[in-house]
Amino acid sequence: MSRLLETSGLSRSFGGLRAVAGLSFAVAEGEILGLIGPNGAGKTTAINLLSGVIKPNAGRVVFAGEEVTGLPPHHLARKGLVRTFQSTVVYGHRTVRENALRGAFLGLYPGVVPAFLGTLRARARRRETEDRIAELLAWFGLDHLGEAIAGSLPYGRQKSLGMVIALAARPRLLMLDEPVAGLAAEEADQVLETIRRIRQRGVTLIVVDHNMRFISGLCDRLVVLHHGQELAQGTPQQVLADSAVIAAYLGRGHGAA
Amino acid sequence: MFTPTLLAQVVVNGLSLGAIYVLVALGFTLLFGIMRVVNFAHGAFAVLGGYALYYLYGQYRLPYILAVPLSALLVAVISLLLERCVFRWFYQKMFQSMIGLLGLNMALVFGSVIIWDTYERAIPPAFNGMLQLGGVILPLDRLMVVAIAAAILALFWLFMSRSRWGLAMRAAAQDVEIAEAQGIDTLSTYRLAFFIAIFMTALAGGLYAQIYALSPFMGDRPLVVAFIAVILGGMGSIPGAALGGLILGFTESFLSTFYGATLSAFVSFGVVILLLIFRPWGLLGTPE
Amino acid sequence: MASVIGAAARSTRPRISALHGLVAGAALLLALWPLVFGNKFLLALATLVALYAIGAASLHLIIRTGHVSFAHAGFMGVAGYVAVLSQMRLGLPFAAALPLGCLAAATVALAIGPLILRVTGKYFVLVTFLFGEILRLVFTEWTAVTGGSNGIFDVPPPAPVFATPLGFYYLALGAAVLCVGIVARILGSEIGRTIDALREAERLAECSGVPVIRWKVAVFVVACALAGVQGVLQAHYLRLIDPTTFSIVESLNLVVMNVIGGMQRLAGALIGALFLTALPELLRGYVEMQRVFFGIILIIVMAALPGGIIEIGARLRALGKAR
Ligand SMILES: Nc1ncnc2c1ncn2[C@@H]1O[C@H](COP(=O)(O)OP(=O)(O)OP(=O)(O)O)[C@@H](O)[C@H]1O
Ligand SMILES: [Mg+2]
């Protein structure tokens, strides 16, 4: 398996606080990598760095053999690096379908002139995108809610919609920031199933969570963060057996999440 | 060209202009910092202050030292009516306040035109003399402006830092909800802040009208100045507004004496635009 | 599933065609206006409304990206001066001077857009407020070129056909239909979808691949170029170009048109242009009273209808539904 994403020495501080310090790991094509750590460990910051939302102070990111360190999010999205947000972000005043269409910008937008003129090519893209989106919405059980206003949906549905928006951009690598936090067990299981299906479609994933039990069943490999630093890395079995992890993380509040 | 007298005059002019700007800017920043209203009608209150001083001092011949604070007080008291009917609608609504108060500005300015016509009036100077200090000659009326403004600013500072009401206002500026949870009556805090803001602005307007000339359109310049000073110092920051006002007063006095008013305006606008782009929270504000 | 989407798409069709009908009706009315009302005053009024519709609609385009520019009249001025000067000094024909003026406005917008569009809402207002002042200062102080605060007199008519009020009215109407049409088409296309997306959730749009700053700059440039059309035509209409026509007051006027009409919809900008141009003209005899009155209306609209006049329609509809 080839390496799709590789970071080395990735660091970012806020004032004096080292939110992420010297993070190095690699994700293989087709893999599900878990990024785990207690609250404030630096998981979201890591995702922000990888998706270009914030810029690193030091370190490198290589995606698909190309250095992408410090590139802006839209550039990375174009290359296939897409993420969701922890605090659910959707276009609250718009319909579910409109949300999905906006997520599909890269496939849908035909360029200024065709868009302005509404050419045949633009219309073909629109039809194609609508079919794709219909399928995506069905995956997440949102197909009957296409005309519902996103902001009025229950929390779990909004989280699903966040994933739809990300998937609509046709990512090669999808980063999910706590996709199941705050969901009921039943909903969480559905999301898990969906994540597996996404992988079957050939999408590589980085999944962030702080629930060890949930994530070890899903992921091929784990990276454990603590105070911005890597504590351990390896298969779930290796990580669960790691004495540093047991001492620092599992030792207190195991399963509390 | 740098004779001591000229230099001293530039300094005194800068100081008096700066003091007026500080008063105007403080009023503006108080309204913004506490109630989140962008007072586009600020200049109109300066105009009202000018006319009040014109009557109390120029017409009715009250002693200067009494006429200045009384005229500002008069405007502030009457303006409480506007607080009730207009401003109250726009508290914590920044964007609506801009447009709505723009409307208020229009109504007040053209109302003034109807009452007082557009011609310029002069408020007689408080003193005609010059103060001679060694080889340096200074205009007394400018020094008087500095003294009055300094006294008001000192009172304001004492009020904000020592009194219960000042503390309440600062708490409300920090976070309205927390302030309310602590039992601060926001509505009367707002009213008080409004009163003080208008008092200072009207006072500054009177002094400004005395230095330049009084007309219903006089307020444009104080408004723009308040804007720039407040941006310079940081929106909503009280020390920032003071610093911004002083910087602006000195820059204007210096540049316009030596290089002309146009260059002075270009420089101050240009600097502020750059500042807004690279440090939008101003010199003394805090980033969001 | 596909049928769900098909049905949804169909259900929006009739509303759009009703809108089209309305627009066509309005256009017809405007075209026949001078023939029905052979009144000079009303013709002048209609011309002004057409001109301001261009400025208000182009500002609406910028507002849709989430930025309210207070320098819009300044850009009009850039176009106006460049066009008038290139015609009167260089002898260019109107047909070349107009695009040249718009190009000049677009160039200035392109030069400062990348810098100023980085700052957020309220700061953008302040930056553009000051930039508008700077532009006005240039118009006023660069006396050798702009004629200073007196401006430039005797601007020739665009062409002999447009020398009469009626001819000019049709020119202004044609320009307005074209410019507003362009704005409407932009907003109705995939471009408009993306503009709305980046206003509503900039970060999210960016992560879906939208180069947000570049889009904002592009929209800003196009809008300033369109505003230039009003600037140029207005100079020809008034036969005069001077700094007061492009001051902060005029910029504010355009902002107020958008706000008072309703900022979320293009129709709001047009209603605002109509309202704010027609009302002052109709009350012309009482300039001061009229201004006072106007200020009070602004206060009331902002206090009671923060969504603008267009909200009245929505509220009435909601009332109707409630019954
Ligand atoms: N923009 C920022 N400015 C300042 N500090 C920040 C910023 N973003 C994150 N931090 C700090 O960096 C640290 C790591 O935060 P981060 O959000 O990455 O943690 P996390 O692992 O995602 O936690 P959680 O499980 O709560 O989501 C925290 O202490 C946080 O306060
Ligand atoms: Mg997080």
Side-chain angles (χ1 to χ4, degrees):
Chain A
M1 276 201 286
S2 64
R3 288 178 163 181
L4 184 58
L5 179 93
E6 193 170 355
T7 75
S8 51
L10 203 60
S11 307
R12 169 74 203 223
S13 336
F14 297 106
L17 180 82
R18 301 192 352 133
V20 168
L23 188 60
S24 305
F25 64 86
V27 192
E29 186 111 45
E31 190 178 34
I32 301 183
L33 179 89
L35 199 57
I36 181 168
N39 284 349
K43 307 178 297 287
T44 299
T45 307
I47 298 294
N48 283 342
L49 288 169
L50 293 175
S51 62
V53 167
I54 59 177
K55 302 215 180 312
N57 300 127
R60 289 175 37 149
V61 184
V62 175
F63 182 68
E66 216 183 317
E67 162 127 28
V68 296
T69 320
L71 290 185
H74 63 88
H75 215 117
L76 294 171
R78 199 167 282 274
K79 291 185 186 299
L81 204 68
V82 179
R83 54 90 54 94
T84 62
F85 292 84
Q86 178 175 357
S87 51
T88 329
V89 180
V90 296
Y91 302 101
H93 301 298
R94 305 288 170 165
T95 64
V96 166
R97 211 169 63 88
E98 175 68 23
N99 269 269
L101 280 173
R102 288 176 176 190
F105 168 78
L106 287 171
L108 180 59
Y109 185 64
V112 182
V113 177
F116 187 81
L117 297 177
T119 56
L120 284 178
R121 196 179 83 192
R123 276 185 238 164
R125 275 180 175 232
R126 170 80 189 239
R127 272 194 304 276
E128 214 174 277
T129 310
E130 280 186 343
D131 290 345
R132 201 154 54 78
I133 276 167
E135 192 192 349
L136 268 179
L137 290 178
W139 265 30
F140 285 86
L142 291 169
D143 42 350
H144 62 290
L145 290 170
E147 299 308 314
I149 299 298
S152 67
L153 294 178
Y155 179 74
R157 297 267 189 205
Q158 288 196 29
K159 274 200 110 90
S160 301
L161 182 57
M163 283 168 75
V164 169
I165 294 173
L167 278 171
R170 285 205 268 218
R172 277 182 80 180
L173 174 66
L174 178 62
M175 300 184 277
L176 302 173
D177 197 351
E178 309 215 2
V180 297
L183 296 190
E186 211 172 294
E187 281 179 310
D189 283 342
Q190 278 175 12
V191 171
L192 245 132
E193 200 41 51
T194 316
I195 293 175
R196 292 207 177 90
R197 280 173 69 183
I198 294 171
R199 189 247 293 268
Q200 278 166 17
R201 288 286 181 109
V203 178
T204 309
L205 287 126
I206 296 180
V207 181
V208 169
D209 209 282
H210 50 239
N211 184 335
M212 187 66 96
R213 217 158 19 92
F214 156 76
I215 212 166
S216 49
L218 175 72
C219 299
D220 304 313
R221 285 190 318 116
L222 298 180
V223 173
V224 185
L225 275 182
H226 193 61
H227 294 313
Q229 282 171 319
E230 178 198 314
L231 203 60
Q233 187 169 153
T235 62
Q237 290 83 350
Q238 285 168 343
V239 166
L240 286 170
D242 190 294
S243 56
V245 175
I246 294 170
Y249 182 71
L250 302 176
R252 43 192 163 86
H254 174 39
Chain B
M1 64 198 225
F2 280 98
T3 64
T5 300
L6 187 59
L7 206 62
Q9 269 178 16
V10 169
V11 169
V12 171
N13 281 354
L15 213 53
S16 57
L17 211 54
I20 292 175
Y21 290 173
V22 170
L23 286 173
V24 177
L26 276 179
F28 193 83
T29 216
L30 219 51
L31 294 173
F32 180 80
I34 298 178
M35 294 88 121
R36 299 273 135 191
V37 296
V38 179
N39 187 12
F40 264 113
H42 213 61
F45 290 105
V47 170
L48 294 181
Y51 280 102
L53 188 64
Y54 172 80
Y55 282 109
L56 292 189
Y57 178 64
Q59 300 291 101
Y60 304 137
R61 296 269 155 217
L62 254 60
Y64 186 68
I65 210 72
L66 217 61
V68 171
L70 262 186
S71 56
L73 204 62
L74 188 69
V75 174
V77 169
I78 294 174
S79 298
L80 282 178
L81 204 66
L82 290 175
E83 194 270 344
R84 189 66 245 278
C85 317
V86 179
F87 279 77
R88 199 165 283 186
W89 290 97
F90 299 115
Y91 289 156
Q92 307 296 340
K93 290 183 196 153
M94 192 155 44
F95 193 77
Q96 277 98 303
S97 77
M98 281 190 205
I99 308 293
L101 297 179
L102 200 69
L104 179 64
N105 191 57
M106 229 188 220
L108 288 179
V109 167
F110 285 93
S112 308
V113 172
I114 294 173
I115 301 175
W116 293 298
D117 211 326
T118 53
Y119 66 86
E120 292 191 338
R121 290 161 212 241
I123 301 178
F127 304 96
N128 280 320
M130 291 286 179
L131 182 71
Q132 189 149 5
L133 275 179
V136 179
I137 302 166
L138 297 172
L140 262 179
D141 60 338
R142 289 291 186 122
L143 287 175
M144 189 69 197
V145 166
V146 177
I148 293 178
I152 296 292
L153 288 175
L155 280 178
F156 175 69
W157 182 79
L158 271 179
F159 177 82
M160 285 306 272
S161 58
R162 294 293 156 81
S163 80
R164 199 165 57 85
W165 285 104
L167 291 178
M169 270 157 64
R170 286 195 299 175
Q174 291 277 322
D175 191 314
V176 192
E177 276 162 31
I178 293 178
E180 275 183 348
Q182 286 173 344
I184 288 172
D185 174 1
T186 28
L187 215 56
S188 46
T189 308
Y190 284 175
R191 200 184 310 127
L192 183 66
F194 176 86
F195 185 82
I196 294 173
I198 299 306
F199 178 81
M200 290 199 288
T201 309
L203 191 108
L207 299 177
Y208 188 84
Q210 197 178 20
I211 293 182
Y212 297 98
L214 176 62
S215 87
F217 300 109
M218 178 199 84
D220 290 353
R221 178 103 191 116
L223 172 66
V224 172
V225 160
F227 237 75
I228 297 178
V230 166
I231 297 165
L232 207 60
M235 299 281 286
S237 155
I238 289 174
L243 180 69
L246 275 182
I247 291 179
L248 218 61
F250 271 103
T251 322
E252 186 176 323
S253 163
F254 182 80
L255 287 180
S256 55
T257 306
F258 295 113
Y259 302 100
T262 311
L263 185 87
S264 151
F266 268 116
V267 169
S268 46
F269 289 178
V271 166
V272 172
I273 287 185
L274 289 181
L275 188 80
L276 268 175
I277 291 166
F278 295 108
R279 201 183 152 86
W281 53 90
L283 295 175
L284 298 184
T286 42
E288 275 160 34
Chain C
M1 189 188 316
S3 68
V4 172
I5 284 158
R10 236 171 286 130
S11 75
T12 57
R13 282 274 149 71
R15 258 186 58 213
I16 289 173
S17 68
L19 192 68
H20 285 171
L22 207 69
V23 169
L28 201 68
L29 177 72
L30 288 171
L32 297 178
W33 175 273
L35 305 181
V36 181
F37 307 95
N39 178 316
K40 264 214 182 99
F41 172 72
L42 287 179
L43 189 63
L45 187 61
T47 309
L48 273 181
V49 171
L51 289 178
Y52 273 103
I54 299 174
S58 59
L59 180 61
H60 174 76
L61 201 54
I62 301 176
I63 290 178
R64 285 286 275 264
T65 67
H67 294 268
V68 182
S69 170
F70 276 48
H72 214 52
F75 287 97
M76 269 180 199
V78 171
Y81 276 105
V82 168
V84 165
L85 286 170
S86 64
Q87 232 177 319
M88 292 176 70
R89 298 266 171 92
L90 307 179
L92 251 57
F94 174 75
L98 173 69
L100 192 68
C102 295
L103 193 68
T107 309
V108 176
L110 186 62
I112 67 151
L115 266 180
I116 66 173
L117 285 159
R118 276 170 207 283
V119 303
T120 52
K122 69 179 175 222
Y123 296 120
F124 186 81
V125 167
L126 303 175
V127 170
T128 48
F129 184 91
L130 294 174
F131 188 73
E133 269 301 288
I134 286 192
L135 286 178
R136 192 188 59 83
L137 273 176
V138 173
F139 301 149
T140 318
E141 300 297 332
W142 199 6
T143 322
V145 175
T146 62
S149 45
N150 292 329
I152 302 169
F153 293 93
D154 295 328
V155 177
V161 221
F162 303 128
T164 64
L166 190 65
F168 198 91
Y169 170 71
Y170 282 114
L171 176 68
L173 183 63
V177 168
L178 190 70
C179 292
V180 174
I182 288 175
V183 173
R185 180 59 206 145
I186 289 176
L187 291 174
S189 70
E190 294 298 339
I191 307 174
R193 180 197 305 283
T194 310
I195 289 174
D196 284 339
L198 62 84
R199 180 188 71 247
E200 287 168 25
E202 178 166 335
R203 187 49 57 75
L204 184 57
E206 203 174 15
C207 286
S208 297
V210 182
V212 170
I213 292 287
R214 214 183 311 152
W215 270 68
K216 284 183 178 174
V217 171
V219 171
F220 188 61
V221 167
V222 169
C224 289
L226 287 177
V229 176
Q230 180 185 344
V232 177
L233 290 181
Q234 197 168 298
H236 286 286
Y237 181 61
L238 302 174
R239 294 292 182 84
L240 159 80
I241 185 163
D242 75 356
T244 56
T245 22
F246 307 116
S247 66
I248 286 295
V249 178
E250 281 300 304
S251 291
L252 288 177
N253 212 9
L254 292 168
V255 172
V256 169
M257 284 176 189
N258 270 278
V259 172
I260 220 171
M263 292 213 294
Q264 305 306 324
R265 307 265 296 275
L266 176 58
L270 300 180
I271 293 174
L274 177 68
F275 190 74
L276 254 94
T277 315
L279 209 61
E281 292 295 320
L282 292 176
L283 296 171
R284 203 165 249 287
Y286 317 85
V287 180
E288 285 89 30
M289 261 336 272
Q290 174 229 117
R291 290 279 159 155
V292 173
F293 179 63
F294 219 77
I296 294 171
I297 289 188
L298 265 187
I299 297 173
I300 293 173
V301 168
M302 275 300 97
L305 288 173
I309 295 175
I310 208 167
E311 205 177 281
I312 296 176
R315 290 205 179 169
L316 286 181
R317 238 176 294 138
L319 260 181
K321 264 188 203 151
R323 286 229 180 97

